[in-house]
mmCIF file of all heavy atoms in Angstrom:
data_model
loop_
_atom_site.group_PDB
_atom_site.id
_atom_site.type_symbol
_atom_site.label_atom_id
_atom_site.label_comp_id
_atom_site.label_asym_id
_atom_site.label_seq_id
_atom_site.Cartn_x
_atom_site.Cartn_y
_atom_site.Cartn_z
ATOM 1 N N ARG A 425 96.975 3.846 -60.378
ATOM 2 C CA ARG A 425 98.308 3.531 -60.912
ATOM 3 C C ARG A 425 99.002 4.783 -61.432
ATOM 4 O O ARG A 425 100.229 4.920 -61.297
ATOM 5 C CB ARG A 425 98.174 2.495 -62.024
ATOM 6 C CG ARG A 425 97.679 1.137 -61.524
ATOM 7 C CD ARG A 425 97.336 0.203 -62.651
ATOM 8 N NE ARG A 425 98.510 -0.133 -63.453
ATOM 9 C CZ ARG A 425 98.467 -0.861 -64.570
ATOM 10 N NH1 ARG A 425 97.319 -1.326 -65.006
ATOM 11 N NH2 ARG A 425 99.565 -1.121 -65.231
ATOM 12 N N ALA A 426 98.223 5.694 -62.039
ATOM 13 C CA ALA A 426 98.823 6.906 -62.596
ATOM 14 C C ALA A 426 99.452 7.773 -61.517
ATOM 15 O O ALA A 426 100.477 8.430 -61.751
ATOM 16 C CB ALA A 426 97.764 7.709 -63.367
ATOM 17 N N PHE A 427 98.855 7.797 -60.322
ATOM 18 C CA PHE A 427 99.379 8.603 -59.231
ATOM 19 C C PHE A 427 100.191 7.781 -58.230
ATOM 20 O O PHE A 427 100.538 8.283 -57.163
ATOM 21 C CB PHE A 427 98.225 9.312 -58.493
ATOM 22 C CG PHE A 427 97.621 10.438 -59.275
ATOM 23 C CD1 PHE A 427 96.547 10.222 -60.127
ATOM 24 C CD2 PHE A 427 98.127 11.726 -59.177
ATOM 25 C CE1 PHE A 427 95.982 11.262 -60.857
ATOM 26 C CE2 PHE A 427 97.572 12.767 -59.891
ATOM 27 C CZ PHE A 427 96.494 12.534 -60.739
ATOM 28 N N ALA A 428 100.459 6.516 -58.603
ATOM 29 C CA ALA A 428 101.274 5.634 -57.764
ATOM 30 C C ALA A 428 100.736 5.570 -56.332
ATOM 31 O O ALA A 428 101.475 5.698 -55.358
ATOM 32 C CB ALA A 428 102.735 6.093 -57.762
ATOM 33 N N ARG A 429 99.430 5.355 -56.197
ATOM 34 C CA ARG A 429 98.785 5.334 -54.891
ATOM 35 C C ARG A 429 98.368 3.915 -54.495
ATOM 36 O O ARG A 429 97.465 3.735 -53.665
ATOM 37 C CB ARG A 429 97.563 6.244 -54.906
ATOM 38 C CG ARG A 429 97.874 7.702 -55.172
ATOM 39 C CD ARG A 429 98.536 8.351 -53.982
ATOM 40 N NE ARG A 429 97.565 8.699 -52.958
ATOM 41 C CZ ARG A 429 97.883 9.209 -51.800
ATOM 42 N NH1 ARG A 429 99.163 9.390 -51.481
ATOM 43 N NH2 ARG A 429 96.953 9.509 -50.910
ATOM 44 N N GLN A 430 99.052 2.913 -55.054
ATOM 45 C CA GLN A 430 98.682 1.542 -54.723
ATOM 46 C C GLN A 430 98.808 1.261 -53.229
ATOM 47 O O GLN A 430 97.908 0.672 -52.611
ATOM 48 C CB GLN A 430 99.553 0.550 -55.515
ATOM 49 C CG GLN A 430 99.286 0.540 -57.011
ATOM 50 C CD GLN A 430 100.219 1.452 -57.771
ATOM 51 O OE1 GLN A 430 100.617 2.490 -57.249
ATOM 52 N NE2 GLN A 430 100.582 1.076 -58.989
ATOM 53 N N ALA A 431 99.939 1.671 -52.643
ATOM 54 C CA ALA A 431 100.164 1.406 -51.222
ATOM 55 C C ALA A 431 99.106 2.090 -50.360
ATOM 56 O O ALA A 431 98.610 1.513 -49.386
ATOM 57 C CB ALA A 431 101.564 1.866 -50.822
ATOM 58 N N TYR A 432 98.753 3.334 -50.727
ATOM 59 C CA TYR A 432 97.736 4.065 -49.961
ATOM 60 C C TYR A 432 96.393 3.349 -50.027
ATOM 61 O O TYR A 432 95.705 3.199 -49.000
ATOM 62 C CB TYR A 432 97.601 5.484 -50.513
ATOM 63 C CG TYR A 432 96.417 6.240 -49.962
ATOM 64 C CD1 TYR A 432 96.473 6.858 -48.713
ATOM 65 C CD2 TYR A 432 95.224 6.335 -50.691
ATOM 66 C CE1 TYR A 432 95.384 7.537 -48.203
ATOM 67 C CE2 TYR A 432 94.133 7.011 -50.187
ATOM 68 C CZ TYR A 432 94.217 7.616 -48.952
ATOM 69 O OH TYR A 432 93.121 8.286 -48.452
ATOM 70 N N GLU A 433 96.004 2.897 -51.228
ATOM 71 C CA GLU A 433 94.713 2.230 -51.379
ATOM 72 C C GLU A 433 94.696 0.874 -50.671
ATOM 73 O O GLU A 433 93.669 0.457 -50.136
ATOM 74 C CB GLU A 433 94.368 2.066 -52.869
ATOM 75 C CG GLU A 433 94.100 3.367 -53.608
ATOM 76 C CD GLU A 433 92.903 4.121 -53.048
ATOM 77 O OE1 GLU A 433 92.048 3.494 -52.397
ATOM 78 O OE2 GLU A 433 92.820 5.350 -53.261
ATOM 79 N N VAL A 434 95.840 0.173 -50.695
ATOM 80 C CA VAL A 434 95.924 -1.097 -49.962
ATOM 81 C C VAL A 434 95.738 -0.862 -48.467
ATOM 82 O O VAL A 434 94.992 -1.584 -47.787
ATOM 83 C CB VAL A 434 97.266 -1.799 -50.247
ATOM 84 C CG1 VAL A 434 97.479 -2.965 -49.282
ATOM 85 C CG2 VAL A 434 97.317 -2.298 -51.681
ATOM 86 N N ASP A 435 96.405 0.169 -47.945
ATOM 87 C CA ASP A 435 96.257 0.497 -46.523
ATOM 88 C C ASP A 435 94.817 0.888 -46.192
ATOM 89 O O ASP A 435 94.267 0.500 -45.143
ATOM 90 C CB ASP A 435 97.206 1.637 -46.138
ATOM 91 C CG ASP A 435 98.663 1.216 -46.162
ATOM 92 O OD1 ASP A 435 98.917 -0.007 -46.106
ATOM 93 O OD2 ASP A 435 99.535 2.096 -46.249
ATOM 94 N N LYS A 436 94.196 1.670 -47.086
ATOM 95 C CA LYS A 436 92.814 2.090 -46.853
ATOM 96 C C LYS A 436 91.877 0.885 -46.841
ATOM 97 O O LYS A 436 90.987 0.767 -45.986
ATOM 98 C CB LYS A 436 92.372 3.076 -47.937
ATOM 99 C CG LYS A 436 90.971 3.658 -47.726
ATOM 100 C CD LYS A 436 90.666 4.684 -48.799
ATOM 101 C CE LYS A 436 89.320 5.350 -48.543
ATOM 102 N NZ LYS A 436 88.201 4.386 -48.578
ATOM 103 N N PHE A 437 92.089 -0.042 -47.780
ATOM 104 C CA PHE A 437 91.255 -1.241 -47.815
ATOM 105 C C PHE A 437 91.456 -2.078 -46.550
ATOM 106 O O PHE A 437 90.494 -2.608 -45.979
ATOM 107 C CB PHE A 437 91.592 -2.071 -49.054
ATOM 108 C CG PHE A 437 90.813 -3.359 -49.143
ATOM 109 C CD1 PHE A 437 89.534 -3.368 -49.640
ATOM 110 C CD2 PHE A 437 91.371 -4.553 -48.712
ATOM 111 C CE1 PHE A 437 88.799 -4.545 -49.715
ATOM 112 C CE2 PHE A 437 90.660 -5.728 -48.780
ATOM 113 C CZ PHE A 437 89.366 -5.729 -49.288
ATOM 114 N N GLU A 438 92.706 -2.183 -46.111
ATOM 115 C CA GLU A 438 92.977 -2.968 -44.907
ATOM 116 C C GLU A 438 92.336 -2.329 -43.670
ATOM 117 O O GLU A 438 91.833 -3.035 -42.785
ATOM 118 C CB GLU A 438 94.488 -3.115 -44.714
ATOM 119 C CG GLU A 438 95.137 -4.047 -45.740
ATOM 120 C CD GLU A 438 96.630 -4.210 -45.505
ATOM 121 O OE1 GLU A 438 97.171 -3.460 -44.663
ATOM 122 O OE2 GLU A 438 97.243 -5.074 -46.155
ATOM 123 N N ARG A 439 92.335 -0.979 -43.611
ATOM 124 C CA ARG A 439 91.679 -0.308 -42.481
ATOM 125 C C ARG A 439 90.178 -0.573 -42.492
ATOM 126 O O ARG A 439 89.582 -0.868 -41.459
ATOM 127 C CB ARG A 439 91.964 1.203 -42.528
ATOM 128 C CG ARG A 439 93.394 1.588 -42.176
ATOM 129 C CD ARG A 439 93.479 3.079 -41.883
ATOM 130 N NE ARG A 439 93.014 3.884 -43.000
ATOM 131 C CZ ARG A 439 93.790 4.306 -43.995
ATOM 132 N NH1 ARG A 439 95.079 3.978 -44.014
ATOM 133 N NH2 ARG A 439 93.296 5.053 -44.962
ATOM 134 N N ASP A 440 89.570 -0.448 -43.669
ATOM 135 C CA ASP A 440 88.132 -0.701 -43.763
ATOM 136 C C ASP A 440 87.813 -2.162 -43.469
ATOM 137 O O ASP A 440 86.804 -2.473 -42.819
ATOM 138 C CB ASP A 440 87.618 -0.325 -45.158
ATOM 139 C CG ASP A 440 87.651 1.179 -45.401
ATOM 140 O OD1 ASP A 440 87.650 1.929 -44.413
ATOM 141 O OD2 ASP A 440 87.685 1.595 -46.575
ATOM 142 N N ASN A 441 88.666 -3.048 -43.952
ATOM 143 C CA ASN A 441 88.448 -4.477 -43.712
ATOM 144 C C ASN A 441 88.613 -4.801 -42.225
ATOM 145 O O ASN A 441 87.844 -5.580 -41.646
ATOM 146 C CB ASN A 441 89.431 -5.297 -44.547
ATOM 147 C CG ASN A 441 88.955 -6.722 -44.743
ATOM 148 O OD1 ASN A 441 87.782 -7.027 -44.590
ATOM 149 N ND2 ASN A 441 89.869 -7.603 -45.086
ATOM 150 N N ARG A 442 89.625 -4.198 -41.598
ATOM 151 C CA ARG A 442 89.841 -4.400 -40.167
ATOM 152 C C ARG A 442 88.662 -3.860 -39.362
ATOM 153 O O ARG A 442 88.235 -4.463 -38.367
ATOM 154 C CB ARG A 442 91.138 -3.707 -39.733
ATOM 155 C CG ARG A 442 91.363 -3.623 -38.232
ATOM 156 C CD ARG A 442 91.403 -4.982 -37.559
ATOM 157 N NE ARG A 442 92.525 -5.785 -38.027
ATOM 158 C CZ ARG A 442 92.832 -6.974 -37.530
ATOM 159 N NH1 ARG A 442 92.088 -7.492 -36.548
ATOM 160 N NH2 ARG A 442 93.854 -7.662 -38.004
ATOM 161 N N SER A 443 88.121 -2.703 -39.783
ATOM 162 C CA SER A 443 86.973 -2.125 -39.093
ATOM 163 C C SER A 443 85.759 -3.050 -39.198
ATOM 164 O O SER A 443 85.024 -3.241 -38.217
ATOM 165 C CB SER A 443 86.642 -0.753 -39.672
ATOM 166 O OG SER A 443 85.541 -0.175 -39.021
ATOM 167 N N LYS A 444 85.557 -3.645 -40.390
ATOM 168 C CA LYS A 444 84.457 -4.590 -40.544
ATOM 169 C C LYS A 444 84.672 -5.811 -39.636
ATOM 170 O O LYS A 444 83.738 -6.325 -39.013
ATOM 171 C CB LYS A 444 84.335 -5.024 -41.998
ATOM 172 C CG LYS A 444 83.222 -6.037 -42.228
ATOM 173 C CD LYS A 444 83.223 -6.572 -43.646
ATOM 174 C CE LYS A 444 82.171 -7.676 -43.788
ATOM 175 N NZ LYS A 444 82.160 -8.270 -45.133
ATOM 176 N N TYR A 445 85.919 -6.275 -39.580
ATOM 177 C CA TYR A 445 86.244 -7.418 -38.716
ATOM 178 C C TYR A 445 85.935 -7.090 -37.250
ATOM 179 O O TYR A 445 85.353 -7.906 -36.532
ATOM 180 C CB TYR A 445 87.708 -7.784 -38.881
ATOM 181 C CG TYR A 445 88.237 -8.740 -37.833
ATOM 182 C CD1 TYR A 445 87.973 -10.105 -37.909
ATOM 183 C CD2 TYR A 445 88.990 -8.274 -36.758
ATOM 184 C CE1 TYR A 445 88.447 -10.977 -36.946
ATOM 185 C CE2 TYR A 445 89.467 -9.134 -35.787
ATOM 186 C CZ TYR A 445 89.194 -10.485 -35.893
ATOM 187 O OH TYR A 445 89.663 -11.346 -34.938
ATOM 188 N N ASP A 446 86.331 -5.893 -36.811
ATOM 189 C CA ASP A 446 86.084 -5.495 -35.422
ATOM 190 C C ASP A 446 84.587 -5.400 -35.130
ATOM 191 O O ASP A 446 84.124 -5.826 -34.056
ATOM 192 C CB ASP A 446 86.764 -4.158 -35.131
ATOM 193 C CG ASP A 446 88.282 -4.258 -35.153
ATOM 194 O OD1 ASP A 446 88.801 -5.379 -34.969
ATOM 195 O OD2 ASP A 446 88.953 -3.228 -35.368
ATOM 196 N N GLN A 447 83.828 -4.819 -36.079
ATOM 197 C CA GLN A 447 82.383 -4.732 -35.885
ATOM 198 C C GLN A 447 81.755 -6.121 -35.822
ATOM 199 O O GLN A 447 80.876 -6.391 -34.990
ATOM 200 C CB GLN A 447 81.739 -3.919 -37.028
ATOM 201 C CG GLN A 447 82.167 -2.466 -37.092
ATOM 202 C CD GLN A 447 81.556 -1.631 -35.985
ATOM 203 O OE1 GLN A 447 80.716 -2.098 -35.221
ATOM 204 N NE2 GLN A 447 81.980 -0.378 -35.871
ATOM 205 N N GLY A 448 82.200 -7.012 -36.702
ATOM 206 C CA GLY A 448 81.683 -8.376 -36.693
ATOM 207 C C GLY A 448 82.053 -9.121 -35.424
ATOM 208 O O GLY A 448 81.266 -9.932 -34.914
ATOM 209 N N LYS A 449 83.260 -8.846 -34.925
ATOM 210 C CA LYS A 449 83.704 -9.499 -33.690
ATOM 211 C C LYS A 449 82.837 -9.056 -32.508
ATOM 212 O O LYS A 449 82.436 -9.890 -31.672
ATOM 213 C CB LYS A 449 85.167 -9.157 -33.429
ATOM 214 C CG LYS A 449 85.774 -9.889 -32.241
ATOM 215 C CD LYS A 449 87.249 -9.540 -32.098
ATOM 216 C CE LYS A 449 87.858 -10.255 -30.887
ATOM 217 N NZ LYS A 449 89.296 -9.917 -30.732
ATOM 218 N N ARG A 450 82.540 -7.761 -32.424
ATOM 219 C CA ARG A 450 81.682 -7.268 -31.337
ATOM 220 C C ARG A 450 80.292 -7.911 -31.424
ATOM 221 O O ARG A 450 79.703 -8.291 -30.403
ATOM 222 C CB ARG A 450 81.567 -5.754 -31.406
ATOM 223 C CG ARG A 450 82.872 -5.004 -31.150
ATOM 224 C CD ARG A 450 82.623 -3.516 -31.013
ATOM 225 N NE ARG A 450 83.872 -2.780 -30.985
ATOM 226 C CZ ARG A 450 84.398 -2.164 -32.039
ATOM 227 N NH1 ARG A 450 83.752 -2.179 -33.206
ATOM 228 N NH2 ARG A 450 85.544 -1.522 -31.950
ATOM 229 N N LEU A 451 79.776 -7.981 -32.672
ATOM 230 C CA LEU A 451 78.461 -8.589 -32.860
ATOM 231 C C LEU A 451 78.475 -10.061 -32.443
ATOM 232 O O LEU A 451 77.549 -10.541 -31.762
ATOM 233 C CB LEU A 451 78.043 -8.453 -34.330
ATOM 234 C CG LEU A 451 76.691 -9.046 -34.720
ATOM 235 C CD1 LEU A 451 75.559 -8.328 -33.986
ATOM 236 C CD2 LEU A 451 76.488 -8.956 -36.234
ATOM 237 N N LEU A 452 79.516 -10.780 -32.831
ATOM 238 C CA LEU A 452 79.617 -12.197 -32.488
ATOM 239 C C LEU A 452 79.772 -12.397 -30.984
ATOM 240 O O LEU A 452 79.171 -13.315 -30.397
ATOM 241 C CB LEU A 452 80.806 -12.816 -33.232
ATOM 242 C CG LEU A 452 80.979 -14.338 -33.102
ATOM 243 C CD1 LEU A 452 79.761 -15.051 -33.663
ATOM 244 C CD2 LEU A 452 82.240 -14.790 -33.820
ATOM 245 N N MET A 453 80.552 -11.529 -30.346
ATOM 246 C CA MET A 453 80.739 -11.634 -28.902
ATOM 247 C C MET A 453 79.421 -11.390 -28.166
ATOM 248 O O MET A 453 79.092 -12.091 -27.198
ATOM 249 C CB MET A 453 81.790 -10.636 -28.439
ATOM 250 C CG MET A 453 83.214 -10.988 -28.847
ATOM 251 S SD MET A 453 83.813 -12.485 -28.049
ATOM 252 C CE MET A 453 83.878 -11.925 -26.355
ATOM 253 N N MET A 454 78.672 -10.401 -28.622
ATOM 254 C CA MET A 454 77.398 -10.116 -27.980
ATOM 255 C C MET A 454 76.432 -11.282 -28.154
ATOM 256 O O MET A 454 75.716 -11.673 -27.221
ATOM 257 C CB MET A 454 76.794 -8.834 -28.580
ATOM 258 C CG MET A 454 75.516 -8.370 -27.914
ATOM 259 S SD MET A 454 75.724 -7.975 -26.164
ATOM 260 C CE MET A 454 76.890 -6.610 -26.270
ATOM 261 N N SER A 455 76.424 -11.860 -29.352
ATOM 262 C CA SER A 455 75.560 -13.010 -29.596
ATOM 263 C C SER A 455 76.002 -14.210 -28.775
ATOM 264 O O SER A 455 75.179 -14.980 -28.265
ATOM 265 C CB SER A 455 75.566 -13.352 -31.096
ATOM 266 O OG SER A 455 74.749 -14.472 -31.365
ATOM 267 N N ALA A 456 77.330 -14.387 -28.628
ATOM 268 C CA ALA A 456 77.854 -15.522 -27.868
ATOM 269 C C ALA A 456 77.581 -15.377 -26.373
ATOM 270 O O ALA A 456 77.458 -16.382 -25.660
ATOM 271 C CB ALA A 456 79.366 -15.655 -28.111
ATOM 272 N N LEU A 457 77.481 -14.148 -25.884
ATOM 273 C CA LEU A 457 77.203 -13.936 -24.462
ATOM 274 C C LEU A 457 75.749 -14.232 -24.118
ATOM 275 O O LEU A 457 75.436 -14.607 -22.980
ATOM 276 C CB LEU A 457 77.524 -12.481 -24.076
ATOM 277 C CG LEU A 457 78.991 -12.132 -23.862
ATOM 278 C CD1 LEU A 457 79.137 -10.630 -23.665
ATOM 279 C CD2 LEU A 457 79.560 -12.888 -22.665
ATOM 280 N N TYR A 458 74.870 -14.066 -25.087
ATOM 281 C CA TYR A 458 73.444 -14.198 -24.804
ATOM 282 C C TYR A 458 73.099 -15.600 -24.310
ATOM 283 O O TYR A 458 72.406 -15.760 -23.295
ATOM 284 C CB TYR A 458 72.621 -13.859 -26.057
ATOM 285 C CG TYR A 458 71.146 -14.110 -25.878
ATOM 286 C CD1 TYR A 458 70.362 -13.224 -25.163
ATOM 287 C CD2 TYR A 458 70.546 -15.258 -26.399
ATOM 288 C CE1 TYR A 458 69.011 -13.462 -24.971
ATOM 289 C CE2 TYR A 458 69.194 -15.498 -26.212
ATOM 290 C CZ TYR A 458 68.433 -14.600 -25.505
ATOM 291 O OH TYR A 458 67.104 -14.834 -25.320
ATOM 292 N N TRP A 459 73.578 -16.620 -25.017
ATOM 293 C CA TRP A 459 73.196 -17.994 -24.669
ATOM 294 C C TRP A 459 73.723 -18.417 -23.297
ATOM 295 O O TRP A 459 72.962 -18.989 -22.497
ATOM 296 C CB TRP A 459 73.663 -18.960 -25.756
ATOM 297 C CG TRP A 459 72.799 -18.883 -26.970
ATOM 298 C CD1 TRP A 459 73.118 -18.365 -28.183
ATOM 299 C CD2 TRP A 459 71.439 -19.312 -27.071
ATOM 300 N NE1 TRP A 459 72.056 -18.431 -29.040
ATOM 301 C CE2 TRP A 459 70.998 -19.024 -28.386
ATOM 302 C CE3 TRP A 459 70.538 -19.901 -26.182
ATOM 303 C CZ2 TRP A 459 69.715 -19.314 -28.824
ATOM 304 C CZ3 TRP A 459 69.265 -20.206 -26.620
ATOM 305 C CH2 TRP A 459 68.867 -19.897 -27.934
ATOM 306 N N PRO A 460 74.982 -18.203 -22.956
ATOM 307 C CA PRO A 460 75.426 -18.588 -21.611
ATOM 308 C C PRO A 460 74.655 -17.886 -20.493
ATOM 309 O O PRO A 460 74.315 -18.501 -19.477
ATOM 310 C CB PRO A 460 76.900 -18.184 -21.607
ATOM 311 C CG PRO A 460 77.302 -18.199 -23.026
ATOM 312 C CD PRO A 460 76.102 -17.741 -23.782
ATOM 313 N N ILE A 461 74.386 -16.587 -20.688
ATOM 314 C CA ILE A 461 73.684 -15.841 -19.634
ATOM 315 C C ILE A 461 72.272 -16.383 -19.435
ATOM 316 O O ILE A 461 71.827 -16.633 -18.299
ATOM 317 C CB ILE A 461 73.662 -14.338 -19.971
ATOM 318 C CG1 ILE A 461 75.081 -13.760 -19.854
ATOM 319 C CG2 ILE A 461 72.708 -13.597 -19.046
ATOM 320 C CD1 ILE A 461 75.191 -12.323 -20.268
ATOM 321 N N THR A 462 71.528 -16.577 -20.534
ATOM 322 C CA THR A 462 70.167 -17.103 -20.401
ATOM 323 C C THR A 462 70.170 -18.541 -19.902
ATOM 324 O O THR A 462 69.253 -18.950 -19.158
ATOM 325 C CB THR A 462 69.431 -17.007 -21.745
ATOM 326 O OG1 THR A 462 70.209 -17.665 -22.764
ATOM 327 C CG2 THR A 462 69.191 -15.558 -22.139
ATOM 328 N N ASP A 463 71.201 -19.306 -20.307
ATOM 329 C CA ASP A 463 71.282 -20.678 -19.806
ATOM 330 C C ASP A 463 71.497 -20.701 -18.288
ATOM 331 O O ASP A 463 70.891 -21.512 -17.571
ATOM 332 C CB ASP A 463 72.429 -21.427 -20.500
ATOM 333 C CG ASP A 463 72.046 -21.891 -21.893
ATOM 334 O OD1 ASP A 463 70.842 -21.857 -22.206
ATOM 335 O OD2 ASP A 463 72.938 -22.275 -22.672
ATOM 336 N N VAL A 464 72.371 -19.827 -17.791
ATOM 337 C CA VAL A 464 72.617 -19.758 -16.346
ATOM 338 C C VAL A 464 71.335 -19.402 -15.608
ATOM 339 O O VAL A 464 70.996 -20.004 -14.568
ATOM 340 C CB VAL A 464 73.734 -18.741 -16.038
ATOM 341 C CG1 VAL A 464 73.782 -18.438 -14.539
ATOM 342 C CG2 VAL A 464 75.074 -19.266 -16.514
ATOM 343 N N ILE A 465 70.576 -18.389 -16.157
ATOM 344 C CA ILE A 465 69.329 -17.983 -15.510
ATOM 345 C C ILE A 465 68.333 -19.146 -15.484
ATOM 346 O O ILE A 465 67.718 -19.459 -14.448
ATOM 347 C CB ILE A 465 68.720 -16.766 -16.239
ATOM 348 C CG1 ILE A 465 69.641 -15.553 -16.113
ATOM 349 C CG2 ILE A 465 67.338 -16.438 -15.665
ATOM 350 C CD1 ILE A 465 69.189 -14.360 -16.918
ATOM 351 N N CYS A 466 68.188 -19.814 -16.635
ATOM 352 C CA CYS A 466 67.201 -20.888 -16.726
ATOM 353 C C CYS A 466 67.587 -22.089 -15.853
ATOM 354 O O CYS A 466 66.747 -22.652 -15.130
ATOM 355 C CB CYS A 466 67.036 -21.325 -18.180
ATOM 356 S SG CYS A 466 66.256 -20.064 -19.229
ATOM 357 N N PHE A 467 68.859 -22.509 -15.926
ATOM 358 C CA PHE A 467 69.283 -23.669 -15.142
ATOM 359 C C PHE A 467 69.250 -23.372 -13.639
ATOM 360 O O PHE A 467 68.925 -24.251 -12.828
ATOM 361 C CB PHE A 467 70.682 -24.119 -15.552
ATOM 362 C CG PHE A 467 70.694 -24.921 -16.822
ATOM 363 C CD1 PHE A 467 71.376 -24.467 -17.946
ATOM 364 C CD2 PHE A 467 70.021 -26.144 -16.887
ATOM 365 C CE1 PHE A 467 71.376 -25.207 -19.116
ATOM 366 C CE2 PHE A 467 70.030 -26.885 -18.055
ATOM 367 C CZ PHE A 467 70.700 -26.420 -19.175
ATOM 368 N N THR A 468 69.569 -22.144 -13.266
ATOM 369 C CA THR A 468 69.463 -21.765 -11.862
ATOM 370 C C THR A 468 68.020 -21.878 -11.384
ATOM 371 O O THR A 468 67.736 -22.373 -10.274
ATOM 372 C CB THR A 468 69.980 -20.325 -11.649
ATOM 373 O OG1 THR A 468 71.344 -20.252 -12.056
ATOM 374 C CG2 THR A 468 69.860 -19.927 -10.190
ATOM 375 N N GLN A 469 67.113 -21.407 -12.240
ATOM 376 C CA GLN A 469 65.696 -21.488 -11.895
ATOM 377 C C GLN A 469 65.246 -22.952 -11.752
ATOM 378 O O GLN A 469 64.548 -23.317 -10.798
ATOM 379 C CB GLN A 469 64.863 -20.779 -12.966
ATOM 380 C CG GLN A 469 63.380 -20.755 -12.672
ATOM 381 C CD GLN A 469 63.053 -19.873 -11.471
ATOM 382 O OE1 GLN A 469 63.609 -18.784 -11.343
ATOM 383 N NE2 GLN A 469 62.201 -20.342 -10.589
ATOM 384 N N VAL A 470 65.658 -23.804 -12.703
ATOM 385 C CA VAL A 470 65.257 -25.214 -12.671
ATOM 386 C C VAL A 470 65.826 -25.915 -11.441
ATOM 387 O O VAL A 470 65.115 -26.655 -10.734
ATOM 388 C CB VAL A 470 65.715 -25.925 -13.963
ATOM 389 C CG1 VAL A 470 65.506 -27.440 -13.850
ATOM 390 C CG2 VAL A 470 64.949 -25.375 -15.155
#
């Protein structure tokens, strides 16, 4: 507050939060791909 850097810190937090969101999205996508791929392999085999 003394250096009037509220806007800068808000932007920094949003960048870090967005980066966490992107990392979580990649992790979720990779996890979501696993089940369909293994299901296709298994059902094809059956």
Side-chain angles (χ1 to χ4, degrees):
R425 294 171 64 185
F427 287 91
R429 298 287 281 176
Q430 292 94 327
Y432 170 81
E433 293 298 338
V434 169
D435 291 340
K436 184 176 184 298
F437 178 82
E438 289 182 351
R439 288 195 303 271
D440 291 338
N441 201 20
R442 170 59 64 175
S443 180
K444 179 187 175 182
Y445 167 79
D446 292 338
Q447 296 287 354
K449 186 177 179 180
R450 295 189 189 99
L451 180 63
L452 186 61
M453 288 294 293
M454 185 61 63
S455 179
L457 282 173
Y458 174 77
W459 284 109
I461 291 175
T462 54
D463 281 347
V464 168
I465 295 174
C466 292
F467 281 118
T468 300
Q469 182 68 42
V470 171

